[in-house]
Amino acid sequence: MNKKSNLAFGKKNYILMLIGIGVLITGFTLMTLDKEEYGFGVLGLTIGPIVVMAGFIIQFFAIMHKPKEDK
């Protein structure tokens, strides 16, 4: 019995989206952990934004990835 799913994304898309959300949360958390005044330290200006950008790139690929169709 082979049913075609009506969902827009496949299982791999949703897994990548969850990973991307986790990376985004990690990046924003890193920016808040900066102890320098107004977040002007290494975490707030360099590492945190790079991790957040990586999270958005993962989300982009999660949305654009086309699931393989089973025949």
Side-chain angles (χ1 to χ4, degrees), residues 29-44:
T29 304
L30 282 173
M31 285 192 275
T32 62
L33 293 176
D34 197 2
K35 299 297 182 202
E36 295 292 323
E37 187 174 353
Y38 303 112
F40 287 135
V42 174
L43 285 176

Side-chain angles (χ1 to χ4, degrees), residues 4-69:
K4 182 171 166 118
S5 176
N6 290 331
L7 297 175
F9 299 118
K11 182 178 179 181
K12 187 173 181 180
N13 295 88
Y14 289 116
I15 291 172
L16 285 172
M17 284 181 197
L18 288 174
I19 292 170
I21 290 171
V23 172
L24 284 169
I25 291 170
T26 302
F28 284 118
T29 304
L30 282 173
M31 285 192 275
T32 62
L33 293 176
D34 197 2
K35 299 297 182 202
E36 295 292 323
E37 187 174 353
Y38 303 112
F40 287 135
V42 174
L43 285 176
L45 286 177
T46 307
I47 297 173
I50 290 172
V51 173
V52 169
M53 184 61 72
F56 281 120
I57 291 170
I58 292 170
Q59 290 291 11
F60 174 76
F61 283 116
I63 292 169
M64 298 305 288
H65 175 72
K66 185 171 180 145
K68 295 179 182 176
E69 297 190 20

